[in-house]
Amino acid sequence: MPELPEVETVARGLQKSVAGRRIVSVRMGKTDFIDDPVAVEQHVPGRQIEKVERYGKFMLLRLSARENSAGSSENGDSEAASLLVHLGMTGQLAPFAAAQPSAKHTHVWFGLDDGRELRYTDPRRFGRMAYLTGALLAEELMAFGADPLLVSAEEFASRIRSRNAQIKALLLDQSVLRGVGNIYADESLWRAKIHPARRGTELSKKQVLALRRVLQDVLRKAILARGSSISDFLDAEGQPGEYQRHHRAYGREGKRCYRCRTAIQRVIVAGRSSYFCPKCQPAPHSRKQRKRRKQVRNG
DNA sequence: CTCGATCCCTGGACGC
DNA sequence: TGCGTCCAGGGATCGA
């Protein structure tokens, strides 16, 4: 499940292995995950991959302007462009020797000027690929929230505490924070001792700042471990990550909490499996309970 | 604004 | 061994 650390790992790998190469050809199989496959076929060949970076859970392949292209001033080919790639659940983007047989479910082959092929493989096709330039690209990127590794304490607190939604939903919402998915949401909530169903508005400033701190710590450590591999994830060198060994909550239903030995529970919050420790991460009070407490307080 | 439901898709787990 | 069934999940979309 590629989230921020996994995508960062792939982007860094591709930056090393394919940045500077020119794409000379494009071949496609199934294209239902590509915004405009014809645009990719028509405008990508001839461009150099200048840089590979991460934006939330997207990879951004920054492409040079096209050289010596007839009519390039009219069709935008004299401008820089970007290929936006989302790995979805099972996407992989990695270079191979052209002679090597393609893995099953390979859907896009970018021929490179050194003879290799950059291949996109995705069994479930939950990923996304889009060719974008200028204003369209800017508009696309604008819709996303703050990068969790760069966001200031003030901005993080305001983005979370101004919303009444469940904290798990807020962490997963890419327009609030870009890059956090189910694994790192649960891992950071466990570390911050916050129940996934708590509301953004009910969290104290202190709790929210602690959440930001542990979220950043988890993400940084996961990047150092080259991400988490649960079932599918492989980086651009075909290697699995190691961070799954450090998970404290995610996937640990029925196993003991590392802090208090209580059995980790799984519940559905915001439509997603959510793993948490019922003792360390106390559930929010129901409406009924709040009312009862109020009555007791008022005698 | 917030939530749940539904759909997309395939492989893997499980039951018989 | 080979079915059928269910589930996983990021994100878009729609309706309540």
Side-chain angles (χ1 to χ4, degrees):
Chain A
M1 277 147 260
E3 304 179 24
L4 187 154
E6 291 75 31
V7 179
E8 180 73 32
T9 299
V10 175
R12 286 182 186 181
L14 292 176
Q15 173 65 26
K16 279 192 178 175
S17 61
V18 304
R21 298 268 60 86
R22 190 171 300 277
I23 294 172
V24 296
S25 63
V26 176
R27 186 158 63 89
M28 292 175 176
K30 289 184 178 168
T31 59
D32 55 0
F33 61 96
I34 304 175
D35 283 23
D36 183 352
V38 174
V40 175
E41 273 179 328
Q42 289 187 341
H43 300 299
V44 168
R47 293 177 186 268
Q48 185 184 44
I49 303 169
E50 293 186 329
K51 195 177 176 194
V52 182
E53 51 193 298
R54 178 190 61 77
Y55 189 89
K57 294 180 198 171
F58 281 91
M59 267 183 298
L60 219 44
L61 277 66
R62 301 283 191 182
L63 304 177
S64 70
R66 224 169 178 182
E67 288 172 6
N68 309 319
S69 156
S72 63
S73 57
E74 291 87 54
N75 61 20
D77 282 359
S78 61
E79 314 256 343
S82 288
L83 199 61
L84 207 58
V85 180
H86 195 297
L87 300 174
M89 294 293 300
T90 53
Q92 285 170 31
L93 188 63
F96 295 90
Q100 187 167 339
S102 293
K104 198 177 172 187
H105 304 298
T106 300
H107 306 301
V108 184
W109 294 259
F110 295 104
L112 303 179
D113 60 359
D114 60 2
R116 290 179 301 161
E117 283 174 347
L118 180 60
R119 296 176 183 167
Y120 181 77
T121 305
D122 189 355
R124 294 184 202 176
R125 305 204 301 286
F126 274 19
R128 181 184 162 202
M129 190 177 289
Y131 169 85
L132 292 167
T133 58
L136 280 178
L137 177 64
E139 193 183 328
E140 181 80 35
L141 299 185
M142 228 170 48
F144 292 94
D147 188 301
L149 288 176
L150 305 175
V151 66
S152 71
E154 273 312 309
E155 189 185 355
F156 185 84
S158 110
R159 281 177 178 272
I160 298 297
R161 298 185 72 214
S162 65
R163 296 280 301 272
N164 192 41
Q166 295 172 319
I167 183 63
K168 177 72 182 269
L170 293 174
L171 289 173
L172 294 180
D173 186 339
Q174 301 299 296
S175 70
V176 174
L177 291 173
R178 56 180 198 258
V180 180
N182 209 29
I183 294 175
Y184 299 101
D186 281 6
E187 290 301 307
S188 58
L189 289 173
W190 181 86
R191 282 165 173 80
K193 302 183 183 177
I194 297 171
H195 189 282
R198 293 218 99 102
R199 309 262 154 185
T201 47
E202 71 170 313
L203 297 178
S204 69
K205 186 92 184 265
K206 198 174 163 186
Q207 279 181 305
V208 170
L209 294 183
L211 177 58
R212 169 178 170 271
R213 196 166 41 73
V214 297
L215 174 60
Q216 293 187 336
D217 188 56
V218 164
L219 292 173
R220 289 196 193 103
K221 285 180 173 151
I223 289 170
L224 290 176
R226 308 175 64 77
S228 302
S229 291
I230 303 297
S231 55
D232 302 285
F233 174 70
L234 296 176
D235 69 17
E237 283 90 51
Q239 297 300 311
E242 300 290 341
Y243 195 71
Q244 66 281 3
R245 298 180 185 185
H246 303 281
H247 290 178
R248 291 293 180 263
Y250 184 83
R252 299 195 65 248
E253 183 178 19
K255 301 206 166 90
R256 292 179 185 283
C257 173
Y258 279 93
R259 273 190 301 252
C260 75
R261 317 294 294 157
T262 302
I264 295 291
Q265 283 182 13
R266 183 176 75 99
V267 291
I268 302 296
V269 179
R272 294 282 173 256
S273 276
S274 300
Y275 300 89
F276 71 103
C277 171
K279 190 171 173 196
C280 296
Q281 298 165 263
H285 297 300
S286 67
R287 201 162 285 190
K288 209 181 208 172
Q289 284 172 312
R290 276 203 298 270
K291 197 174 169 186
R292 175 82 192 119
R293 284 161 68 87
K294 196 175 171 184
Q295 284 171 349
V296 169
R297 260 203 316 277
N298 297 340

